[in-house]
Amino acid sequence: MDGINLISLQDEILAHVQSEFPNYEVLEDVILDDEYLLKINNNVKPFVIIEWGGLARQFANASFAGVRHDEYRSDFDLIAVAPAPKIARRVLNMFFDKLIGWPIQGSQLTPSGTIDNVVSRDGNGKPHLYISVGTLSFRFNSSNPDGNITP
């Protein structure tokens, strides 16, 4: 990896998730607003969305050589959408079970925060879809901190 290239790590994680779960649709960066959710039939096959987090510096692992030599961290949310609450929780649990501890650039995917469960209601207030959300994080640094990903 040249420079501090978070996108290449995200692409690697996405490829791994898709290969581990070929029977599930895995989407990136989908906004789950009311309009989007109401378009989904409540008999939908469960699917997962990945929402990528940004880049954060690990202050505890700062380098004397300069900030580009520091250790960084990032995270992402896994969002399971399903027609029933238990199915949403089960899908998220299956993904977490396979992904926790998966190695990436000398680090491992690690759960951070709690798992949240949300119900999406239709226009009449009736439960429509169920959503379970959990966050995984990972640490990384650059193999060539003085390089850049752009010329």
Side-chain angles (χ1 to χ4, degrees), residues 20-71:
E20 285 291 320
F21 298 97
N23 296 326
Y24 286 90
E25 183 176 15
V26 178
L27 307 171
E28 285 185 280
D29 303 320
V30 172
I31 305 299
L32 287 176
D33 61 10
D34 292 339
E35 186 176 321
Y36 181 86
L37 288 170
L38 289 175
K39 288 180 185 175
I40 301 172
N41 182 320
N42 63 352
N43 291 323
V44 68
K45 181 179 175 186
F47 64 95
V48 170
I49 299 168
I50 295 178
E51 289 289 340
W52 300 110
L55 177 73
R57 185 171 165 236
Q58 291 285 99
F59 293 108
N61 294 323
S63 172
F64 288 115
V67 69
R68 292 189 62 88
H69 295 264
D70 288 352
E71 184 173 82

Side-chain angles (χ1 to χ4, degrees), residues 88-103:
R89 292 192 321 269
R90 184 174 287 141
V91 168
L92 186 65
N93 189 64
M94 283 186 330
F95 274 68
F96 263 58
D97 184 48
K98 280 271 193 179
L99 296 174
I100 289 173
W102 183 70

